Amino acid sequence: MNIIILSGATGGGHNRASGALKEALLKKHSDANVHIIDVFVECSKMLNVTVTQGYKLLAVKAPKLYGAMYKTADRETPLYELMNSINLQCGRKILPVIKEYRPDVVVCCHPFAVTMMSTIKEKFGYDVPTVAIVTDFMPHMAYICENMDAYVTASDETADALCEKYHVDRDIIHPLGLPIYDRFYQKDGFDKDAFLREMSLDPALPTVLIMAGSFGVTDILKIYEKLAEVPAQFQIIVITGKNKKLYDAFERLLSDEEEFETQDAPDFILSLSDDNIFKMMYDRGEELREQIKSTFKRSTHMKKPTKLLYFVDNVEDYMHSSDLIITKPGGLTTSESIACNLPMAIFKAIPGQEEQNAEYLVKNGIAIAIDKGDLLKAQIENLLSQPDRLESMRLSCRRCMRKNAAENIVSLIEGFADRHFSESE
């Protein structure tokens, strides 16, 4: 069985979904050929930098603009037509790569890949079963094409929206859940107490997990300070991911420095090659450099027992050991938290798909939306003082969880692969 998974690095969720699906495929079919292709990298280096780094810049630095663009692209406008033109050009470039692998099924884990595969099938006559995975809790017009053989959604509500708002045939919609790694479901034999003791944390105290890599530096430091002021007894785990600026700033906060400089420079500026004009502007532009620096002045010396971590490859263990997670509402992060039956406090949802995800989570009793400053402090204090409410949120997680989503998607793929094999004989 030959399977191609098309993904893209606008946010980490698309690639995590792709990786989890590949793992599930190989677990059941060890002899399968499963290839993950980043559509932006494969189509154009310039397109990859423009789309992926542009997404980060807009989402972090201009979220309202990003939200406006997201809504505009959710209907037939000149922007929508422009994307169709780009898809045609990219489809022409990536088709030889796809043909080389001779796939039985193509799975799309990114909306750009969905529309590109639709163009390939329509304009170039390449007939291969194609499955689209909607990686958020609400769909978007970017996923809507006439040439998909199946849509996989995170929930029944997502499926309803596909059918009612976008008129997708109900028969090809499968609300199987988003593909996540098996290890996020409750682990038999996992010793939560021992895991917390290894980090010098107290198993008897409630644990709040902060997944902070995609937050701005100043935002997360202020969140921590407000948490530290909550009178209730609890402990905190902070995982900054590969956000080195955030990790360094957090170390300084925890070491009681009164004030220190932080830098919220967009990562894309720092990652560009030396011969790129934007990198040159950054290197030589002292005025720009000063604009993205700020001085953080602590507002409290109160603390909670805290474990600060950089990138970890066993996030599921920290989720299984926590009572509440503070995070942004990306589709995959929230699906992983739901699988761990972990209540969520959602902070600073980006207008667009994150905002829609947050609405779904709050509506279904899985999460609360938290504010800034003293309001945040009151919300967390109120939540942690109500064990019954936390338990109700855990029950909501179990109700909304799609267990074995990746394995069920594999079964769907198998059906298409079998039919494709039979038809090609």
Side-chain angles (χ1 to χ4, degrees), residues 17-18 124 128 133 144 160 162 165 177 189 255 267 282-283 322 332:
S18 300
F124 304 114
V128 60
I133 298 180
I144 310 307
D160 291 342
L162 271 179
K165 181 177 180 180
S255 65
D267 288 342
Y282 178 75
D283 287 340
S322 300
L332 265 291

Side-chain angles (χ1 to χ4, degrees), residues 1-6 98 102-108 113-114 117-118 120-121 125-133 147-151 411-424:
M1 183 165 61
N2 296 328
I3 305 296
I4 284 180
I5 302 173
L6 300 178
I98 293 174
R102 299 171 60 87
D104 298 300
V105 181
V106 174
V107 182
C108 301
V114 174
M117 274 306 301
S118 178
I120 285 173
K121 295 174 78 171
Y126 185 70
D127 188 20
V128 60
T130 306
V131 177
I133 298 180
N147 300 297
M148 292 297 106
D149 297 280
Y151 280 92
S411 296
L412 178 68
I413 292 169
E414 288 171 337
F416 284 112
D418 290 342
R419 287 197 291 276
H420 185 245
F421 180 77
S422 299
E423 292 169 0
S424 61

Side-chain angles (χ1 to χ4, degrees), residues 221 245-262 296 298 303 308:
L221 295 181
K245 295 190 295 293
L246 177 58
Y247 183 87
D248 291 344
F250 229 104
E251 279 195 317
R252 301 179 76 171
L253 180 70
L254 294 174
S255 65
D256 283 333
E257 289 192 39
E258 194 64 40
E259 64 179 62
F260 49 89
E261 191 176 84
T262 63
F296 183 84
R298 68 184 313 126
K303 288 184 182 178
L308 174 63

Side-chain angles (χ1 to χ4, degrees), residues 15-24 36 178-185 316 332 336 339 406-407:
N15 286 336
R16 290 211 307 278
S18 300
L21 185 54
K22 179 176 180 177
E23 181 181 272
I36 298 175
L178 301 187
I180 63 173
Y181 292 100
D182 277 347
R183 56 184 181 266
F184 283 95
Y185 299 108
E316 69 280 0
L332 265 291
E336 291 161 355
E407 290 79 1

Side-chain angles (χ1 to χ4, degrees), residues 134-413:
V134 181
T135 55
D136 287 294
F137 285 93
M138 282 294 115
H140 186 273
M141 190 170 179
Y143 285 99
I144 310 307
C145 304
E146 294 183 356
N147 300 297
M148 292 297 106
D149 297 280
Y151 280 92
V152 174
T153 65
S155 69
D156 291 325
E157 289 180 45
T158 323
D160 291 342
L162 271 179
C163 183
E164 295 166 9
K165 181 177 180 180
Y166 299 101
H167 311 296
V168 175
D169 184 351
R170 172 67 75 173
D171 291 340
I172 69 169
I173 304 174
H174 305 266
L176 302 175
L178 301 187
I180 63 173
Y181 292 100
D182 277 347
R183 56 184 181 266
F184 283 95
Y185 299 108
Q186 192 60 49
K187 296 165 67 174
D188 293 334
F190 176 71
D191 192 334
K192 171 183 173 180
D193 290 359
F195 186 75
L196 289 170
R197 281 194 290 267
E198 285 177 10
M199 293 185 288
S200 300
L201 296 175
D202 185 352
L205 285 179
T207 302
V208 175
L209 172 63
I210 303 175
M211 295 281 288
S214 59
F215 288 174
V217 173
T218 301
D219 284 338
I220 191 58
L221 295 181
K222 289 180 178 178
I223 287 175
Y224 180 85
E225 287 192 317
K226 288 303 173 185
L227 287 176
E229 293 176 349
V230 174
Q233 295 297 306
F234 61 94
Q235 56 203 357
I236 301 172
I237 300 172
V238 179
I239 302 177
T240 68
K242 295 181 180 179
N243 190 336
K244 187 66 165 57
K245 295 190 295 293
L246 177 58
Y247 183 87
D248 291 344
F250 229 104
E251 279 195 317
R252 301 179 76 171
L253 180 70
L254 294 174
S255 65
D256 283 333
E257 289 192 39
E258 194 64 40
E259 64 179 62
F260 49 89
E261 191 176 84
T262 63
Q263 192 173 49
D264 279 320
D267 288 342
F268 87 100
I269 292 179
L270 304 177
S271 67
L272 295 175
S273 59
D274 289 338
D275 59 351
N276 189 286
I277 183 63
F278 294 110
K279 179 67 161 58
M280 292 171 62
M281 288 171 60
Y282 178 75
D283 287 340
R284 299 175 185 177
E286 191 60 31
E287 181 180 353
L288 174 62
R289 189 188 299 271
E290 291 305 315
Q291 285 178 355
I292 59 179
K293 285 183 178 180
S294 61
T295 299
F296 183 84
K297 296 182 180 181
R298 68 184 313 126
S299 63
T300 179
H301 284 276
M302 299 183 72
K303 288 184 182 178
K304 297 291 183 187
T306 302
K307 181 67 175 180
L308 174 63
L309 299 160
Y310 190 56
F311 176 78
V312 299
D313 57 9
N314 60 330
V315 169
E316 69 280 0
D317 290 334
Y318 298 93
M319 286 186 172
H320 287 306
S321 301
S322 300
D323 300 282
L324 177 69
I325 181 171
I326 296 177
T327 187
K328 290 173 70 66
L332 265 291
T333 298
T334 53
S335 292
E336 291 161 355
S337 299
I338 289 171
C340 293
N341 298 327
L342 181 58
M344 288 172 252
I346 302 300
F347 178 76
K348 205 174 183 180
I350 298 169
Q353 67 268 42
E354 282 194 1
E355 197 170 60
Q356 292 176 334
N357 290 342
E359 289 172 2
Y360 170 86
L361 296 167
V362 172
K363 176 183 175 182
N364 283 278
I366 296 168
I368 63 168
I370 55 176
D371 298 294
K372 292 183 178 181
D374 289 335
L375 280 175
L376 181 153
K377 174 183 169 182
Q379 287 172 304
I380 297 299
E381 182 177 2
N382 183 51
L383 186 57
L384 292 177
S385 68
Q386 300 182 71
D388 290 347
R389 187 178 179 194
L390 284 171
E391 180 58 29
S392 175
M393 293 171 76
R394 283 188 283 270
L395 290 172
S396 295
C397 287
R398 286 193 279 273
R399 176 175 51 81
C400 293
M401 178 176 62
R402 292 292 196 270
K403 195 162 186 179
N404 304 319
E407 290 79 1
N408 291 331
I409 296 170
V410 168
S411 296
L412 178 68
I413 292 169

